[in-house]
C-alpha cells in the first residue's frame, strides 16, 4: 500500500517538557486512522506539528513525499492537508455561507479580485456551487445566512469540516469532531466521513469517543506521554497491554469501559 | 420653530457684524503647544480693540476682531481663514505665530485678495508670501543681527546656542550663526531642543561640555522656565545667559534665577511702547509676557489706520493705504518702515538686563 | 458661506480618501495602524520635495505613491512577528521617526518651516474656479476610491481579509498566507493614502512636519470608528461628520456670541464632547458593518 | 559621567509612575488609553493649585493623586465600561475624545500659561561632580517609595495577585470568584492615581501646563510598550531604557567620526532615539523586553 503521510521521529518539547518523543506512523490514501490517548498525551500537539502551527524540534513529516516540517500552515494546506480545531472559533461578522466561500482560497489575489473578469466570475460561481453542496451534505442549509459565530458548538464543528473540505484536501485531520455534536448527528457524521474516505481522502481523527472510533476507523494510533505505544484496529484496543497501561495509569477508566 | 429662530438670530448677528462695524479677523494658536503665545497675541488684539473703540471706533462704528483658533496647524489655520473669508468677509486677517502656519495662511489670504498682517512669524521665508502680506515683526535677520552684534560687543566669542526645534528656532539659529561668524565669533554648541520635554538637563550638559563664554537662548513659557531652572540647578547659570526676546524668556521664571541674565527685546522705550506696557500691566495684573502681544496690538492699530485712511474696508483700498502708511507708521513696537517687499526693515531693539526682579535697560 | 462649504467638502473628501485607505487595513483586515499618517505625509512631501527638485507634479505624485508603498512593505514586514497592539505602537513609532527626520532636514525637506508655494493639480484653471474644481476633483477621487473599496470588500480578496481579521488561525490553516494578505492590504492603503497626501499638499499648496503629527492619525481613526469601520458608507459618513464638527464648531461659537478667551477651549471641548456622545450613542459606529448575505 | 547617570535616573523617574499606571490599566482594559496622560496633567494642576492656596505640599500631592484616581473611576463608569465591549479601537477613540475634553477643561479653567508651585528656591546640593536639586531629589524619592509600594502591592498582596490574575486570564479569574468589576475599578483608580501623582511630581520641575499630558503621550507609550504591555514593572524599566537612549543621543561625543574634538547627534533627534530603541526592541523581542514568557521561566 502506498503511503500519503509519513511521520518519522517527531519530537517536540515546550520549555523542557517533552510533549512528543519520537512519534512514527504512516497513513495511506483513503485510510481512516484514529489517534487516541489520555489527556496530555500529545494528540493536539501532534496535529499542530503536522499542520505547521507548532514547529517540531526534530523528525520528518512528509505528505506525498514532500517534507512539511519547515513549512508554514498555509503552504502545508496548499499541499493538500486540511484540519479542524478542537474548539473551532468562527467569525462574528461573516455568514456561514460566506465562511465556506472564504474557505476556498483559489484566485483570491488583490488584482484578480479588483479587476474581476470572466475567470474570476467562473471561480466565484464554482465556489458557490461547491459551498452550497457542502451546506447540504453537512445539514447546514438552514443556517446558511446566520453569523458563523452564532452557531452551536456542534454546528461549528460541522462548518469547520466543511471549510476544510472546500480546499479539496488529500488528508483531513479532525480534532475531536464529535465533542458537543448531537448524538443523532454523530451517526450521520460517520456516514459522511466514510463517504469522504471512499473518495480517496485520508482521515486522521483525534477523538475521545470510542464508539465513534470503533465505527469509523480502520486503525488506531495510541499516544501516551508523547510516544506511540500501540497501533492496532479498534477491536484490538481493549486487549492491548500498553493501551491498558496508558489508560489505567491515568484518570480515564471510563473511556476504556466505553471501548470495551 | 426653534431652528428658524436660531437661523434668524444668526442672520441678524451676521448683519449686525457687516452693517454696523468693521470686522477684522485673526488666526492664532489658541490650543496646542503654542497656545501660551497665542493667548498673549490675543491679549494684544483685545487691548487694541478696546483702545480704538474707546476713541469712537472706526469709520464711525465700533471695531470688532473675530479671533479664530488655528489649533497650531496649517489645516486648522486654513479652516479658520476660509471661514473668515467666506462667512465673516473680513478684509484683513492677522496671524499666526509659527511660520509653518503663517506661510500657508498668508498664501491663502493673498490668493483671495485679502490683507495678511504677519504679527508673529519671523522666518525669512515670510518674505515670499505675496503681494498683500505685510510683516509687522522684524524677520529673524534683524533680531539675530542685533543679538549677534550685541554679544560680540560684550566681548563674548564662544557661544552656546539653544532654541526650540521648530520653525522659529531653526530660523533664528541659522541667522544668528551667520551673523555671529561674520563678526568673528563662533557657535561652539548648537542645540535645537524638542519642545515639551520634562527636562532639558541632557541638552544643557551637552552645551556645558564646550565651555562657552555665553549661553544664548530664545524660549517661551514652560520650556523657558524649565531651562532656566535646570541651568540654575546644574550650576550652569553662573556663566552669562543671553536671551533673544528676553522678556518672554524670563516671563515664567523666578526672579532669583533670572537675575543677572542679559538680552535684547523689542524696544518699548518709546512713548507708545511704554503706554502699551503700562496698560497691559493694568489690564491683566502682570507684566508683558512677551512682545507678541505688542505686535498683535500694532497689527490691529495699523489695519485700523489703513481702513480709516482709505475710508473703506475694501481690501484693495486697504492694501493701497497700507503701502502708503507702511513707511511711516509707528506703534507700540516702534517705527515699521516697511520695504518694497512689505517687510519691516527697522526694528528698534533694547539691550536689557534682568536685575532685582525686573528688566532694565543696560 | 458657499466657499466655506466648498472648503469643508474638499477637506472632507481628502480626509475621506485617507479614511478609506485606513479602512482597507483597519476595517477590512483588522490591522491597528496608528502610523497611517506616515503614508499621507510621504505623499505630501513627495510633492514638496518634487517642487524643490523641479519635477513635474504628476511625477512627484507617482514618486510619492511609490515611496509610500516601499514604506508599506517595511511596515508590513515589521508586522510579521508582532502581535497586533505592539504592531500598532510600532507603526506609530515609524510615523514619528519619519516626522522627526523631515523636521530636522532643513535642506532637503524645508525643516520645521515646511515647503511652501507648492503646485496644485488644478493650477491651470482660473483662480475663482479652483475651489469648485478642487471639490469636484475630491468628490471624484473619493467616489472612485469608495467604489473600488466596496468592490474589493465584496471580492474574494475582501472575504479573505475578513477571515484574517476575524479568525487569523482559521485563515492560516485554510491556506491563506497571512503575511501576504496583510502586505497587500497595507500596500493598497499606502498608495491611496499617499495620493490623498499629495492632493492635500496640492490643495493647501504647502507641506510641513505638522502634517505628520500623531494627532492626525487619531483624527482619521476617529472618522473611521465613529462612522463604522469596515463599511464604506459608514467611513464616509464618519468623515463628513467629524470634518463637519471640526469646521462648524467655530460657527457655533459665533452664534453663542462668546468672547475671545474661550475660543481654543470651546473648539476643543465641543469637538471632544460631540465625538464622545456619538461613540456612547452608537458604540459600534453610526453605520456598523453588516453581514453580507449572498444569493 | 555621574551627572549623566543621575539625569538618566531623574528622567526615568519622571516617566516611571505614569508609565506604570498606563501599563497597569492596559493589562486589564486592553486598549491604549490616551486620556491616561491627561490624568497626569490634571493631577499637576490640582496639586499646584492646592499648594498655592496654602495646602502643605505633601497633602497637595496626595489629594491630587486621589482626585485623579476618582476622576478615572468616573470615566471608567461612564465611558470605558461601555466602549470596551466594542473593541480596543473604539475605546481608544473614546479616550481620545475624553482627552480633548479634559484638555479643554484645563484650558478654559486656567489658560495656556504654566503655573508653578509657590516654593522657595533652594540652591542645588553639590556632591562632588554631582549637582542635585532638592525638588529633584524629592520627586525621585517619592517615586522610588511609591514604586516599591506598588511592587509590594502587585507581587505580595492578595489584591495584587487578583489584579494580575484578572489581567492574565479574565474568564479564569471570574471562575475563581474574583469580582472583576470591582477589581477593574480599583485598577483604574490606582493607575490614574499613579499618573496624577507622577504629574504632580513632574510639576515640581516643569510647572503645571495644559500641554503636559500631550507632551508625555508618546514617551509614556514607548516606555509601556518597551516593558511589555500589561507588565507594570516592566514599564518602569522601559522608561529607564528610554531615558538612557535619550541621554546617550544627547551626550555621546561622536566628534571622532568627523575628526572634530566635539560633535553630537542633533538634539532634535532625541525623540527619534526612543522610537528607534522601541523598534529595535520589538524586532528582537516582539512582546516587549519584559514579556510574561520571561517571568514564567
Amino acid at each position: 500500500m502506498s503511503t500519503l503521510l509519513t511521520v518519522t521521529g517527531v519530537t517536540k518539547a515546550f520549555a523542557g517538557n517533552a510533549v512528543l518523543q519520537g512519534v512514527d506512523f504512516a497513513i495511506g490514501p483513503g485510510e481512516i486512522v484514529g489517534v487516541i490517548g489520555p489527556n496530555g498525551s500529545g494528540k493536539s500537539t501532534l496535529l499542530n506539528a503536522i499542520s505547521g502551527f507548532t514547529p517540531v524540534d526534530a523528525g520528518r513529516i512528509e505528505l506525498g513525499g514532500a517534507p512539511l516540517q519547515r513549512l508554514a500552515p498555509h503552504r502545508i494546506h496548499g499541499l493538500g492537508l486540511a484540519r479542524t480545531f478542537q474548539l473551532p472559533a468562527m467569525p462574528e461578522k461573516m455568514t456561514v455561507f460566506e465562511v465556506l466561500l472564504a474557505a476556498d482560497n483559489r484566485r483570491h489575489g488583490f488584482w484578480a479580485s479588483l479587476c474581476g473578469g470572466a475567470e474570476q466570475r467562473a471561480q466565484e460561481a464554482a465556489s458557490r456551487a461547491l459551498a452550497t453542496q457542502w451546506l447540504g451534505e453537512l445539514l447546514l442549509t438552514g443556517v446558511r445566512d446566520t453569523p458563523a459565530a452564532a452557531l452551536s458548538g456542534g454546528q461549528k464543528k460541522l462548518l469547520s469540516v466543511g471549510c476544510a473540505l472546500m480546499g479539496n484536501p488529500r488528508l483531513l485531520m479532525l480534532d475531536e469532531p464529535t465533542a458537543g455534536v448531537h448524538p443523532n448527528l454523530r451517526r450521520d457524521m460517520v456516514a459522511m466521513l466514510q463517504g469522504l474516505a471512499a473518495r480517496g481522502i485520508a482521515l486522521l481523527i483525534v477523538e475521545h469517543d470510542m464508539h465513534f472510533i470503533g465505527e469509523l476507523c480502520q486503525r488506531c494510533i495510541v499516544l501516551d506521554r508523547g510516544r506511540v505505544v500501540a497501533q492496532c484496529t479498534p477491536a484490538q484496543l481493549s486487549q492491548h497491554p500498553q493501551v491498558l497501561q496508558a489508560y489505567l495509569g491515568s484518570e480515564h477508566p471510563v473511556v476504556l469501559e466505553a471501548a470495551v | 420653530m426653534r431652528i428658524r429662530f436660531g437661523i434668524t438670530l444668526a442672520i441678524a448677528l451676521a448683519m449686525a457684524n457687516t452693517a454696523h462695524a468693521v470686522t477684522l479677523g485673526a488666526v492664532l494658536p489658541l490650543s496646542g503647544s503654542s497656545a501660551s503665545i497665542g493667548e498673549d497675541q490675543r491679549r494684544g488684539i483685545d487691548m487694541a480693540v478696546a483702545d480704538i473703540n474707546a476713541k469712537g471706533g472706526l469709520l464711525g462704528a465700533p471695531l470688532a476682531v473675530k479671533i479664530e483658533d488655528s489649533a497650531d496647524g496649517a489645516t486648522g489655520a486654513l479652516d479658520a481663514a476660509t471661514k473668515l473669508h467666506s462667512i465673516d468677509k473680513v478684509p484683513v486677517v492677522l496671524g499666526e505665530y509659527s511660520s509653518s502656519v503663517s506661510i500657508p495662511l498668508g498664501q491663502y489670504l493673498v490668493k483671495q485678495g485679502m490683507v495678511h498682517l504677519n504679527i508673529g512669524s519671523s522666518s525669512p521665508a515670510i518674505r515670499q508670501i505675496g503681494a498683500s502680506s505685510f510683516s509687522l515683526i522684524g524677520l529673524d535677520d534683524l533680531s539675530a543681527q542685533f543679538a549677534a552684534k550685541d554679544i560680540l560687543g560684550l566681548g563674548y566669542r564662544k557661544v552656546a546656542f539653544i532654541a526650540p526645534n521648530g520653525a522659529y528656532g531653526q530660523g533664528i539659529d541659522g541667522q544668528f550663526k551667520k551673523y555671529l561668524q561674520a563678526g568673528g565669533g563662533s557657535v561652539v554648541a548648537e542645540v535645537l531642543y524638542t519642545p515639551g520635554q520634562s527636562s532639558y538637563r541632557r541638552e544643557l550638559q551637552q552645551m556645558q561640555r564646550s565651555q562657552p563664554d555665553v549661553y544664548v537662548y530664545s524660549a517661551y513659557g514652560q520650556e523657558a522656565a524649565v531651562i532656566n531652572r535646570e541651568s540654575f540647578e546644574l550650576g550652569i547659570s553662573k556663566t552669562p545667559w543671553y536671551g533673544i526676546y528676553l522678556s518672554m524668556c524670563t516671563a515664567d521664571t523666578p526672579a532669583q534665577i533670572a537675575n543677572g541674565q542679559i538680552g535684547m527685546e523689542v524696544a518699548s522705550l518709546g512713548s507708545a511702547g511704554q503706554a502699551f506696557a503700562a496698560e497691559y500691566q493694568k489690564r491683566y495684573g502682570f507684566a508683558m509676557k512677551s512682545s507678541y502681544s505688542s505686535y498683535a496690538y500694532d497689527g490691529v492699530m495699523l489695519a485700523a489706520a489703513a481702513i480709516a485712511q482709505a475710508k473703506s474696508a475694501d481690501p484693495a483700498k486697504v492694501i493701497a493705504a497700507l503701502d502708503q502708511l507702511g513707511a511711516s507708521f509707528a506703534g507700540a513696537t516702534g517705527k515699521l518702515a516697511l520695504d518694497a517687499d512689505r517687510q519691516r526693515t527697522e526694528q528698534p531693539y533694547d539691550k536689557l538686563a534682568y536685575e532685582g526682579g525686573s528688566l532694565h535697560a543696560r | 458661506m458657499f466657499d466655506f462649504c466648498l472648503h469643508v467638502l474638499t477637506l472632507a473628501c481628502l480626509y475621506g480618501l485617507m479614511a478609506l485607505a485606513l479602512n482597507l487595513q483597519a476595517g477590512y483586515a483588522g490591522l491597528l495602524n496608528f502610523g497611517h499618517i506616515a503614508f499621507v505625509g510621504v505623499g505630501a512631501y513627495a510633492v514638496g520635495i518634487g517642487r524643490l527638485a523641479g519635477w513635474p507634479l504628476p511625477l512627484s505624485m507617482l514618486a510619492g505613491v511609490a515611496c509610500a508603498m516601499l514604506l508599506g512593505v517595511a511596515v508590513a514586514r515589521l508586522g510579521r512577528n508582532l502581535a497586533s497592539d505592539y504592531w500598532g505602537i510600532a507603526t506609530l513609532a515609524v510615523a514619528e521617526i519619519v516626522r522627526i527626520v523631515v523636521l530636522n532636514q532643513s535642506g532637503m525637506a524645508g525643516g520645521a518651516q515646511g515647503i511652501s508655494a507648492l503646485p496644485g493639480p488644478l493650477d491651470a484653471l482660473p483662480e475663482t474656479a479652483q475651489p469648485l474644481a478642487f471639490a469636484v476633483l475630491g468628490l471624484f477621487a473619493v467616489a472612485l476610491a469608495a467604489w473600488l473599496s466596496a468592490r474589493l470588500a465584496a471580492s474574494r480578496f475582501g472575504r479573505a481579509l475578513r477571515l484574517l481579521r476575524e479568525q487569523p488561525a482559521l485563515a492560516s490553516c485554510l491556506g491563506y498566507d497571512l503575511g501576504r494578505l496583510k502586505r497587500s492590504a497595507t500596500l493598497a492603503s499606502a498608495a491611496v493614502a499617499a495620493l490623498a497626501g499629495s492632493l492635500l499638499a496640492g490643495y493647501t499648496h504647502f507641506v510641513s512636519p505638522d502634517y505628520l503629527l500623531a494627532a492626525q492619525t487619531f483624527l482619521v481613526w476617529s472618522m473611521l470608528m465613529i462612522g463604522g469601520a469596515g463599511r464604506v458608507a459608514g467611513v464616509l459618513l464618519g468623515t463628513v461628520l467629524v470634518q463637519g464638527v471640526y469646521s462648524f464648531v467655530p460657527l457655533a461659537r459665533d452664534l453663542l456670541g462668546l468672547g475671545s478667551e474661550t475660543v481654543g477651549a470651546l473648539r476643543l471641548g465641543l469637538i471632544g464632547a460631540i465625538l464622545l456622545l456619538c461613540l456612547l450613542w452608537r458604540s459600534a459606529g453610526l453605520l456598523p458593518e453588516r453581514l453580507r448575505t449572498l444569493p | 559621567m555621574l551627572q549623566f547617570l543621575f539625569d538618566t535616573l531623574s528622567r526615568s523617574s519622571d516617566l516611571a509612575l505614569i508609565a506604570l499606571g498606563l501599563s497597569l490599566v492596559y493589562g486589564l482594559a486592553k486598549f491604549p488609553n490616551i486620556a491616561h496622560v491627561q490624568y497626569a496633567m490634571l493631577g499637576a494642576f490640582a496639586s499646584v493649585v492646592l499648594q498655592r492656596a496654602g495646602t502643605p505640599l505633601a497633602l497637595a500631592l496626595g489629594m491630587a493623586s486621589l482626585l485623579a484616581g476618582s476622576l478615572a473611576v468616573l470615566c471608567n463608569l461612564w465611558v470605558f465600561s461601555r466602549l470596551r465591549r466594542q473593541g480596543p479601537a473604539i475605546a481608544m477613540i473614546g479616550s481620545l475624545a475624553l482627552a480633548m475634553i479634559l484638555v479643554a477643561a484645563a484650558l478654559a479653567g486656567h489658560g495656556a500659561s504654566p503655573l508653578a508651585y509657590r516654593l522657595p528656591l533652594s540652591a542645588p546640593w553639590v556632591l562632588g561632580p554631582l549637582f542635585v536639586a532638592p525638588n529633584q531629589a524629592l520627586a525621585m524619592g517619592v517615586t522610588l517609595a511609591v514604586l516599591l509600594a506598588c511592587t509590594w502591592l502587585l507581587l505580595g498582596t492578595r489584591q495584587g495577585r487578583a489584579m494580575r490574575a484578572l489581567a492574565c486570564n479574565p474568564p479564569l479569574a471570574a471562575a475563581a470568584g474574583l469580582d472583576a468589576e470591582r477589581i477593574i475599578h480599583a485598577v483604574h483608580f490606582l493607575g490614574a492615581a499613579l499618573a496624577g501623582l507622577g504629574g504632580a511630581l513632574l510639576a515640581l520641575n516643569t510647572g503645571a501646563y495644559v500641554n503636559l499630558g500631550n507632551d508625555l503621550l508618546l514617551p509614556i507609550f514607548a516606555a509601556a510598550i518597551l516593558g511589555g504591555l500589561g507588565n507594570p514593572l516592566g514599564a518602569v524599566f522601559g522608561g529607564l531604557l528610554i531615558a538612557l537612549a535619550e541621554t546617550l543621543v544627547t551626550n555621546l561625543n561622536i566628534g571622532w567620526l568627523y575628526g572634530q574634538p566635539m560633535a553630537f547627534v542633533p538634539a532634535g533627534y532625541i525623540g527619534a532615539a526612543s522610537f528607534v530603541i522601541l523598534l529595535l526592541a520589538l524586532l528582537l523581542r516582539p512582546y516587549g523586553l519584559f514579556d510574561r514568557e520571561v517571568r514564567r521561566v
Side-chain angles (χ1 to χ4, degrees):
Chain A
M1 188 178 75
S2 66
T3 60
L4 179 63
L5 176 79
T6 325
V7 175
T8 324
V10 164
T11 302
K12 174 73 195 173
F14 288 114
N17 292 326
V19 183
L20 297 176
Q21 310 187 44
V23 173
D24 302 306
F25 66 89
I27 300 177
E31 204 182 353
I32 308 180
V33 177
V35 178
I36 61 168
N39 279 348
S41 56
K43 303 184 296 286
S44 287
T45 308
L46 180 64
L47 250 54
N48 285 340
I50 297 172
S51 57
F53 280 86
T54 305
V56 298
D57 297 338
R60 291 177 59 77
I61 305 168
E62 285 176 5
L63 186 71
L68 303 185
Q69 67 270 15
R70 296 247 171 269
L71 297 183
H74 67 272
R75 297 225 174 273
I76 294 177
H77 179 272
L79 292 172
L81 189 150
R83 68 165 293 182
T84 68
F85 290 96
Q86 192 178 343
L87 297 168
M90 284 294 162
E92 268 177 53
K93 297 211 171 142
M94 293 172 86
T95 63
V96 170
F97 189 55
E98 211 192 351
V99 171
L100 277 178
L101 288 181
D104 183 355
N105 70 8
R106 284 171 292 176
R107 289 192 70 89
H108 74 273
F110 178 81
W111 288 112
S113 298
L114 196 63
C115 302
E119 279 181 67
Q120 193 70 11
R121 279 196 298 275
Q123 176 61 58
E124 180 69 8
S127 298
R128 290 190 186 192
L130 190 62
T132 308
Q133 176 209 327
W134 283 120
L135 275 179
E137 290 200 26
L138 294 165
L139 309 172
L140 291 170
T141 309
V143 289
R144 180 182 183 273
D145 293 329
T146 312
L151 296 184
S152 70
Q155 285 172 320
K156 281 185 194 163
K157 293 247 150 153
L158 291 175
L159 177 56
S160 65
V161 173
C163 283
L165 290 169
M166 286 296 288
N168 285 324
R170 289 192 280 175
L171 170 64
L172 174 59
M173 305 198 298
L174 305 172
D175 199 346
E176 304 204 9
T178 69
V181 176
H182 192 273
N184 294 342
L185 210 56
R186 217 171 279 195
R187 221 165 303 131
D188 295 328
M189 262 180 103
V190 171
M192 197 261 301
L193 293 175
Q194 276 167 338
L196 293 180
R199 286 180 227 177
I201 302 176
L203 296 170
L204 185 68
I205 303 172
V206 168
E207 185 54 72
H208 278 305
D209 180 342
M210 289 304 188
H211 287 298
F212 189 74
I213 292 276
E215 279 178 61
L216 189 62
C217 296
Q218 298 143 1
R219 185 153 62 92
C220 279
I221 296 171
V222 184
L223 277 184
D224 184 29
R225 278 169 250 163
R227 291 178 207 280
V228 177
V229 293
Q231 291 203 44
C232 57
T233 63
Q236 294 166 333
L237 276 177
S238 54
Q239 279 93 47
H240 209 291
Q242 264 94 19
V243 179
L244 291 175
Q245 169 68 32
Y247 274 97
L248 289 178
S250 72
E251 318 109 52
H252 285 275
V254 186
V255 182
L256 189 64
E257 271 168 37
V260 176
Chain B
M1 186 62 206
R2 191 182 291 170
I3 293 171
R4 185 172 299 170
F5 172 73
I7 293 171
T8 320
L9 184 73
I11 292 169
L13 281 173
M15 301 260 290
N17 277 344
T18 47
H20 301 296
V22 178
T23 305
L24 307 179
V27 179
L28 310 175
L30 294 170
S31 61
S33 50
S34 306
S36 50
I37 287 176
E39 200 165 89
D40 210 35
Q41 291 178 317
R42 186 186 60 72
R43 290 190 196 108
I45 290 175
D46 282 355
M47 284 171 65
V49 172
D51 278 5
I52 288 170
N53 288 339
K55 289 177 190 149
L58 185 59
L59 303 181
L63 170 76
V65 177
K66 191 138 262 175
I67 296 174
E68 299 289 342
D69 181 14
S70 68
D72 216 7
T75 39
L78 284 178
D79 278 356
T82 316
K83 172 180 175 289
L84 289 172
H85 163 63
S86 163
I87 295 175
D88 302 314
K89 306 213 182 303
V90 301
V92 177
V93 174
L94 297 87
E96 210 249 13
Y97 159 64
S98 172
S99 54
S100 64
V101 181
S102 294
I103 292 171
L105 173 71
Q107 282 176 358
Y108 172 82
L109 295 170
V110 167
K111 246 179 138 181
Q112 306 306 327
M114 296 157 76
V115 180
H116 172 223
L117 295 182
N118 165 32
I119 53 168
S121 298
S122 50
S123 154
I126 293 283
R127 199 173 276 279
Q128 272 109 46
I129 289 181
S132 59
S133 170
F134 299 77
S135 280
L136 283 100
I137 182 167
L139 301 188
D140 286 341
D141 39 358
L142 293 181
S143 56
Q145 189 175 16
F146 182 88
K149 268 189 186 159
D150 188 17
I151 287 164
L152 291 168
L154 289 164
Y156 302 124
R157 288 294 174 270
K158 287 164 68 187
V159 172
F161 183 88
I162 178 167
N165 192 19
Y168 169 69
Q170 287 183 359
I172 193 119
D173 175 39
Q175 297 291 324
F176 178 76
K177 210 158 73 175
K178 190 176 84 188
Y179 287 113
L180 192 78
Q181 281 165 353
S186 66
V187 174
V188 292
E190 179 186 7
V191 168
L192 292 172
Y193 67 82
T194 303
Q197 294 181 82
S198 60
S199 161
Y200 300 97
R201 286 197 166 82
R202 285 83 47 95
E203 287 87 343
L204 290 170
Q205 288 184 37
Q206 180 190 327
M207 301 194 339
Q208 191 185 19
R209 286 166 77 177
S210 58
Q211 295 172 326
D213 301 334
V214 63
Y215 292 91
V216 176
Y217 77 126
S218 196
Y220 183 67
Q222 171 266 345
E223 293 147 20
V226 176
I227 288 172
N228 278 325
R229 170 185 281 276
E230 291 185 334
S231 74
F232 173 78
E233 288 168 356
L234 288 167
I236 296 177
S237 61
K238 289 176 188 124
T239 310
W241 276 70
Y242 186 99
I244 296 178
Y245 298 123
L246 186 60
S247 72
M248 79 171 182
C249 294
T250 54
D252 293 297
T253 302
Q256 195 183 340
I257 297 176
N259 272 340
Q261 289 198 0
I262 51 175
M264 52 79 82
E265 182 54 82
V266 175
S268 58
L269 293 180
S271 59
Q274 283 185 339
F276 176 78
E279 176 66 20
Y280 185 106
Q281 170 88 39
K282 200 173 107 196
R283 196 175 160 124
Y284 297 108
F286 44 79
M288 267 171 72
K289 289 264 184 194
S290 74
S291 49
Y292 289 105
S293 54
S294 51
Y295 287 120
Y297 178 87
D298 277 3
V300 179
M301 287 303 192
L302 175 63
I307 290 169
Q309 180 170 335
K311 299 195 177 58
S312 157
D314 177 59
K317 291 180 186 161
V318 176
I319 293 171
L322 279 170
D323 280 332
Q324 283 182 14
L325 272 174
S328 58
F329 181 87
T333 58
K335 194 172 172 233
L336 288 186
L338 300 186
D339 63 10
D341 282 346
R342 299 154 314 279
Q343 306 300 314
R344 190 168 190 162
T345 49
E346 258 179 47
Q347 170 90 71
Y349 294 105
D350 287 339
K351 298 177 180 177
L352 298 179
Y354 195 103
E355 294 297 344
S358 61
L359 290 168
H360 302 282
R362 98 183 118 83
Chain C
M1 190 70 196
F2 180 64
D3 275 353
F4 182 66
C5 291
L6 274 186
H7 167 75
V8 175
L9 179 67
T10 309
L11 274 188
C13 287
L14 299 183
Y15 276 95
L17 274 181
M18 296 176 209
L20 284 172
L22 181 62
N23 187 44
L24 288 178
Q25 295 177 77
Y28 292 166
L31 300 172
L32 296 177
N33 187 342
F34 293 140
H36 185 61
I37 204 66
F39 300 141
V40 179
V42 167
Y45 261 97
V47 174
I49 294 172
R51 188 199 71 112
L52 294 182
W55 293 355
L57 181 65
L59 182 64
S60 310
M61 289 174 78
L62 217 60
V65 169
C67 290
M69 287 173 81
L70 273 180
L71 185 67
V73 171
V75 165
R77 174 67 191 79
L78 206 60
R80 207 186 278 178
N81 39 12
L82 286 184
S84 66
D85 38 4
Y86 288 88
W87 187 72
I89 304 287
T91 54
L92 196 155
V94 169
E96 268 299 292
I97 291 171
V98 172
R99 184 183 72 84
I100 291 170
V101 168
V102 294
L103 176 66
N104 287 294
Q105 288 295 324
S106 34
M108 201 182 78
Q113 200 165 277
I115 308 171
S116 51
L118 299 187
L122 302 174
D123 283 352
L125 296 177
E127 198 68 56
T128 45
Q130 278 190 23
L132 183 63
F134 216 111
V136 172
L137 174 70
L139 276 176
F140 174 73
V142 90
L144 185 68
W147 178 69
L148 288 175
S149 319
R151 190 178 160 84
L152 207 56
S155 74
R156 298 178 73 81
F157 179 73
R159 208 178 276 148
L161 287 188
R162 272 194 296 286
L163 192 64
L164 155 74
R165 176 190 73 193
E166 304 260 320
Q167 297 296 342
L170 183 63
S172 174
C173 85
L174 289 174
Y176 289 106
D177 182 347
L178 304 191
R180 199 185 149 144
L181 280 177
K182 289 179 189 173
R183 195 169 62 228
S184 302
T186 308
L187 282 182
S189 173
V192 177
L195 207 63
S198 300
L199 287 176
L200 183 65
Y203 178 65
T204 58
H205 299 281
F206 181 73
V207 60
S208 77
D210 291 350
Y211 282 41
L212 279 152
L213 283 173
Q216 291 285 314
T217 302
F218 295 143
L219 174 65
V220 179
W221 264 96
S222 60
M223 291 169 172
L224 197 66
M225 300 319 294
I226 285 174
R231 184 164 163 195
V232 170
V235 173
L236 293 180
L237 177 66
T239 310
V240 170
L241 189 87
V242 174
Q243 185 60 47
V245 168
Y246 268 80
S247 300
F248 286 105
V249 155
L251 296 186
R253 187 208 67 224
D254 285 357
L255 284 182
L256 296 171
L258 294 171
S260 63
E261 297 86 358
T262 52
V263 174
L266 199 74
R267 194 184 131 276
L268 206 59
L270 270 179
I271 292 170
I274 294 174
L275 297 189
L276 194 59
L277 286 179
C278 277
L279 281 176
L280 290 175
W281 174 48
R282 298 283 297 264
S283 54
L286 297 173
L287 293 176
E289 190 182 3
R290 278 184 306 196
L291 277 179
R292 291 166 186 274
T293 45
L294 301 169
Chain D
M1 191 62 218
L2 207 56
Q3 185 74 44
F4 295 143
L5 282 178
F6 182 76
D7 288 341
T8 303
L9 282 178
S10 161
R11 166 74 171 163
S12 48
S13 108
D14 287 347
L15 301 178
L17 290 183
I18 308 172
L20 171 67
L22 179 73
S23 189
L24 203 60
V25 176
Y26 189 94
L28 277 185
K30 306 277 190 238
F31 74 93
N33 187 351
I34 293 176
H36 182 80
V37 286
Q38 307 305 344
Y39 300 147
M41 183 268 292
L42 291 178
F45 266 112
S47 173
V48 171
V49 167
L50 284 169
Q51 197 271 340
R52 288 174 71 96
T55 320
L57 181 61
L59 193 62
L61 289 175
M63 283 171 71
S65 174
L66 288 181
L67 279 174
S70 317
L71 178 70
V73 171
L74 291 183
C75 291
N76 184 42
L77 211 59
W78 289 333
V79 179
F80 297 130
S81 60
R82 299 174 60 178
L83 294 186
R84 234 182 5 244
R85 273 174 264 151
Q86 300 293 337
I90 288 271
M92 188 195 79
I93 299 303
S95 72
L96 178 69
L98 192 66
M100 288 171 108
I101 296 172
L102 296 179
V103 170
L107 202 55
H110 170 70
S113 49
L115 189 67
Y117 287 103
R118 194 168 281 153
L119 288 172
L121 192 73
S122 39
W125 303 325
V126 184
L127 315 166
L130 201 61
F131 284 80
V132 180
N135 62 22
Q136 197 183 4
L138 172 72
M140 288 171 76
V142 174
T143 300
L144 187 66
V146 173
L147 282 183
L148 289 176
C150 279
T151 312
W152 171 76
L153 181 73
L154 284 173
L155 301 180
T157 67
R158 229 185 90 75
Q159 284 79 5
R161 276 198 296 276
M163 284 177 196
R164 286 189 298 142
L166 197 62
C168 287
N169 193 338
L172 196 68
L178 291 176
D179 180 355
E181 272 308 299
R182 210 176 56 85
I183 297 176
I184 286 178
H185 280 311
V187 167
H188 272 93
F189 179 85
L190 183 63
L194 286 171
L197 181 63
L201 289 172
L202 203 59
L204 282 171
N205 195 36
T206 64
Y209 63 104
V210 169
N211 241 28
L212 182 129
N214 290 334
D215 287 341
L216 282 170
L217 183 70
L218 295 179
I220 291 290
F221 268 80
I225 288 273
L226 258 180
L229 279 169
N231 175 0
L233 298 173
V236 177
F237 289 99
L240 186 67
L241 207 65
I242 281 175
L244 195 67
E246 290 178 351
T247 310
L248 277 179
V249 164
T250 38
N251 282 298
L252 203 63
N253 189 347
I254 52 166
W256 51 271
L257 276 177
Y258 300 94
Q260 288 167 1
M262 214 177 283
F264 297 95
V265 178
Y269 285 101
I270 194 170
S274 48
F275 289 116
V276 169
I277 287 280
L278 177 68
L279 286 182
L280 285 179
L282 285 182
L283 282 177
L284 296 175
R285 294 196 59 88
Y287 291 90
L289 290 177
F290 305 98
D291 174 38
R292 281 191 205 101
E293 294 295 326
V294 179
R295 278 181 292 156
R296 197 185 290 156
V297 171

